[in-house]
Structure formats: C-alpha cells, structure tokens
Amino acid sequence: MTKKTIAIVDPYSSGALLSPLFKADGHICIAIHSLQKVPSIFASSYKKNDFDIEIFFDGGNFAYIADKLKNYGCSVIMPGAESGVTLADNLAHYLKLNHNLYDLSKARRDKFAMQECLKQNGLKYIQSHEVSNIKELNEKVNSLSYPVIIKPINSAGSDDVYKCYSYEEAIKATSIILNKDNALGLYNDKVLVQEFIEGREYVVDSISCEGRHFTTNGCLYTKMEANDSDVVYRKMEFLPPDSKELIDIIEYNNKVLDALGFLYGPSHSEIMMTNDGPVLIETGARIHGGYSPRTVAEISNLSQLNLILPSYCDVDKFNEMTENGVVFHKSACVFFLVNYIEGNVKSLNFTNKIESLPSFYDMVFLVEKGDYCPKTISLYTCPAWIVLANKDSNQIRKDIDFIKTLEKKGIFEILSDNE
C-alpha cells in the first residue's frame, strides 16, 4: 500500500493502538481532538508522540481543520473513540473521502435515533423515549413497564446506566444524568428511557468495506451486581465468528449495520439474545474499546486492527485478506476486577502471581498506588482487567478461579475515608 496520510479523531482507548500500526508501515498520522481537553477517562491512553501532527477542534474551526487536512494530503479519516465518531463523519463528508452514509450519522451516535432507525427498517428494537426534563419523563415512562433503563443518550461504557424499579428511582436517575458532562466529555441535555430486556449479552465486532460487513469476532459478556449497580462487567469471552451461538446474531447485526448506513470502517455492536431473538442494545462506529482488538490479533489471523485501513482505501486487499475467513488458534477472555471500598490505593498486591499464570497475556491497571479508587459501578470505574489467552480453555477457567481467590485477599489495598 502506498504511503497515506491518516487522521484519527480522538485516538483514545483502543484507538491509541492504531497510529503505531500505521506508522510502522510508513504512513503519516494526524491526531484530531474533538474537544479542547482530552476526557479524563481517556487521558492516560493518548500518546502524543505517536502522531506527526496534532489538531484540536474548538467548535468553530471546522473549515480550518478541513483545509489543513486537505493541504496535508489526508486520504483517510476515522474515529478512534466513540467521542470522535461525529466529527470524523463531518470531516470525511466535507472532504469527499470514504465514510459511512452521512444522512444517518446521527443514528450512529444518538441512541434514541438508533433505535428509531431500527424500528423504521422493520428490525427488532428496544422501545425507547428521549426526555429532557422530569415533566417529559412523567409523560413517557408510563408507557413502559418497570424496571426501566435510564442512561445518557450519547455516552458509552455503561456510564450512568441505571435500572429503575419505580417512578421515584427513575426521577432520581434522570436528575443525576441531566445537565452535566458525561464520561465522554459531552453535555447531557437529554436522557434515554428504555424498556428493560433480558437475555445473554453479546458483542459483534465488524469491519465494513464498500457496504460489505465482515465479522472479526464475537464476545459474550458476563455482568454482575455490585455496589448497588446492575451493570458491573465481570468477564468477556472472545468467540470466533463461526460459533453456532453467533449465527443468528451476526445475521441480525449485518441488517442493523445496513439500516444504520455503515459502509466503511469498524463497528462494535452490543446485542442481547432474548427469547424472541437478537435485539440491538447499541452500536458504535469505531473499534472495540479497552484494547480488545489487540487480544483478537493475538488469538486470530484477522482483527479490526489489520483490516481497518484497507477497509477505507484498498478494497482489493480487504477482499484478499478476508477471503478465507477467521481462524482462532487460542481461546481468550478478559476478567474485570471489582472494587468495593472507596478510597486511595495503598498498595497493589499479587501482580507477580497473576503475571505467572499459564494463561496470562496482559493486565491493565487504571489506578496506581496513591490514586483515588471509586467503587466499581460501571466499566469506567473498573480499577483493572486481566486478559487471559490459552489453547486450553479449561486452563483459563482455572486461572480465573485463582484470580478470584487473590481478589478476596486484596489485590487492591484501599485506604478508606475512615482510616
């Protein structure tokens, strides 16, 4: 592939993995920030030195940025994180570069518009309402049965997601979310109110090229209740696309991607497999977060990382790479640690024992000694996760059981406010 100039909008979280890969192949990389300040949840993942050029969007310099990209010879614009999806769409559309269907840009970010789009296309959807105040909540929530889900309309990572069993709880959740910045640094002027659906929660990670959707992997989530939250991530198992349990889910997801106008680049869909079949929770027009694509690259011949660039600019290479499908040569999962005591971290224990496990592949600590560590109530308040990979799935299960014993002994020693 000839040398390209590539712009990545908000190259955070797993989006930070992209530039080193592209630069290793001789490409020029530009970091574009959709906000003047990198959101705190992403600050540690952004690596300024991985980029040749850095540009900040201030809300009024769109034309300036577009002209800069044109002068730099930029031929590919992609989002790195969820917060960069809209600006990446706008810039690519303005510069006439390959991008997803522009008229459906809002439906790929706004979770209410997303569900309405599915409804209009005859696909299974979650009954949803958007509200901007308590009066509207009163008018809308009565059409649903409790429990209901209340969450921001354009955040991610289970940020401020509440399962409410009464109108009083719904009022409290709405009041907490409205009129503040969410985890992505975006202002919550509306709240999403949804029916609660039950089932097994899956992920489908895909890459689209000229409207053809190719699934790189699936995942099965296990969540738990902790610290009065129902959305605490506990485990995520990686699944090859040819898994029997994914057949109907992938078929449905491809229809979802068509309905939402996905033509180029990555998607990360969260789908509930209910008794009535698969239903989309939400999808993001970016690669799977939390470094998961790196794990897939470790256990498989294909991942979102090695397919993303040809999906935008080299259809022949994309078709050649995907011709023989995906082959997993290992099993893998992510095990998320849970913190139950709010306070500062006194010490991190047993890390050497974790690293010596037969299945150990990677470990990411989001807090260090001396840092404040909140109680775990969402993905963004998870203090650490451990990635395990092995040809023997039984060994992974044994290693998880061992990590649980260490967790009970105290991987994190926390100084509470009372100490």
Side-chain angles (χ1 to χ4, degrees):
M1 186 182 295
T2 57
K3 185 168 75 171
K4 307 286 184 184
T5 298
I6 304 161
I8 305 172
V9 184
D10 291 353
Y12 318 140
S13 182
S14 56
L17 301 172
L18 297 172
S19 181
L21 291 177
F22 300 157
K23 288 179 69 66
D25 288 334
H27 303 298
I28 296 171
C29 291
I30 302 172
I32 300 177
H33 303 277
S34 66
L35 297 172
Q36 286 290 284
K37 183 179 179 181
V38 178
S40 59
I41 60 166
F42 293 138
S44 63
S45 67
Y46 173 60
K47 309 299 180 188
K48 181 178 179 178
N49 292 336
D50 287 342
F51 292 89
D52 301 283
I53 302 162
E54 183 181 43
I55 305 173
F56 286 85
F57 178 59
D58 64 9
N61 63 341
F62 179 87
Y64 166 82
I65 294 175
D67 286 344
K68 281 284 187 182
L69 294 179
K70 186 176 182 179
N71 291 337
Y72 290 137
C74 181
S75 58
V76 177
I77 300 174
M78 64 179 70
E82 188 71 28
S83 54
V85 168
T86 299
L87 182 57
D89 265 359
N90 291 341
L91 287 167
H93 177 72
Y94 184 85
L95 293 172
K96 296 181 172 57
L97 302 178
N98 285 340
H99 60 288
N100 293 322
L101 191 62
Y102 189 67
D103 289 346
L104 290 170
S105 183
K106 181 179 179 180
R108 291 187 293 273
R109 272 296 290 128
D110 183 301
K111 296 173 186 178
F112 175 71
M114 186 178 294
Q115 295 295 334
E116 288 296 292
C117 186
L118 300 188
K119 181 180 178 181
Q120 292 164 10
N121 281 272
L123 297 172
K124 286 190 176 69
Y125 67 98
I126 301 174
Q127 189 175 351
S128 307
H129 301 287
E130 59 177 355
V131 303
S132 55
N133 53 56
I134 299 302
K135 180 182 178 181
E136 290 181 1
L137 173 69
N138 183 46
E139 295 170 354
K140 302 290 188 181
V141 77
N142 290 331
S143 67
L144 304 175
S145 299
Y146 288 99
V148 297
I149 298 297
I150 309 281
K151 61 183 181 181
I153 210 155
N154 62 355
S155 192
S158 68
D159 171 42
D160 267 343
V161 177
Y162 296 94
K163 184 179 179 182
C164 302
Y165 292 86
S166 67
Y167 180 57
E168 289 72 25
E169 290 184 7
I171 291 176
K172 181 179 179 181
T174 301
S175 300
I176 291 172
I177 298 169
L178 275 177
N179 303 318
K180 72 170 187 178
D181 289 344
N182 60 37
L184 300 183
L186 304 173
Y187 187 71
N188 291 332
D189 60 350
K190 293 180 181 178
V191 164
L192 188 68
V193 183
Q194 293 185 308
E195 65 174 319
F196 174 70
I197 60 171
E198 294 185 273
R200 287 162 66 86
E201 187 175 346
Y202 290 86
V203 160
V204 178
D205 293 327
S206 304
I207 294 283
S208 301
C209 182
E210 294 189 344
R212 180 171 79 87
H213 314 303
F214 182 84
T215 301
T216 58
N217 62 278
C219 298
L220 173 62
Y221 278 139
T222 300
K223 294 182 181 179
M224 62 180 288
E225 294 185 15
N227 301 315
D228 297 321
S229 172
D230 292 317
V231 290
V232 173
Y233 288 76
R234 189 54 161 169
K235 186 172 67 171
M236 183 178 69
E237 303 170 67
F238 292 90
L239 304 172
D242 60 358
S243 300
K244 288 184 179 180
E245 61 190 297
L246 290 179
I247 293 174
D248 291 343
I249 294 171
I250 291 174
E251 181 181 358
Y252 168 78
N253 185 63
N254 287 341
K255 293 177 181 177
V256 166
L257 298 181
D258 284 340
L260 295 173
F262 280 83
L263 299 175
Y264 297 95
S267 58
H268 168 68
S269 299
E270 296 178 354
I271 294 172
M272 190 74 79
M273 189 61 174
T274 71
N275 291 334
D276 297 322
V279 183
L280 182 76
I281 300 171
E282 59 192 60
T283 192
R286 40 83 180 177
I287 62 175
H288 191 152
Y291 306 107
S292 291
R294 183 169 62 188
T295 303
V296 177
E298 167 69 14
I299 66 172
S300 175
N301 63 323
L302 294 172
S303 73
Q304 289 183 314
L305 295 180
N306 59 2
L307 289 175
I308 186 170
L309 187 55
S311 77
Y312 282 101
C313 59
D314 194 339
V315 62
D316 290 336
K317 183 176 181 180
F318 181 87
N319 289 338
E320 179 185 348
M321 292 177 69
T322 58
E323 183 178 5
N324 295 319
V326 171
V327 179
F328 273 30
H329 52 267
K330 289 182 183 179
S331 298
C333 81
V334 179
F335 186 73
F336 301 92
L337 301 184
V338 178
N339 179 47
Y340 294 91
I341 303 173
E342 185 177 3
N344 292 323
V345 179
K346 181 179 179 182
S347 63
L348 302 174
N349 306 317
F350 308 121
T351 56
N352 58 332
K353 290 188 176 183
I354 295 172
E355 290 172 345
S356 65
L357 291 171
S359 302
F360 177 81
Y361 171 64
D362 195 11
M363 180 164 51
V364 178
F365 280 94
L366 301 177
V367 292
E368 299 177 355
K369 183 179 178 180
D371 288 348
Y372 170 76
C373 187
K375 292 180 180 179
T376 305
I377 58 172
S378 69
L379 185 59
Y380 290 135
T381 51
C382 169
W385 62 78
I386 300 158
V387 184
L388 303 172
N390 200 294
K391 292 182 179 180
D392 183 358
S393 58
N394 289 324
Q395 185 61 57
I396 292 177
R397 283 191 283 271
K398 291 177 183 177
D399 290 347
I400 288 175
D401 289 340
F402 182 73
I403 293 170
K404 287 179 179 178
T405 65
L406 297 181
E407 193 176 32
K408 289 179 180 178
K409 292 179 180 178
I411 294 176
F412 294 91
E413 187 174 355
I414 304 292
L415 287 173
S416 67
D417 294 338
N418 296 325
E419 295 183 74

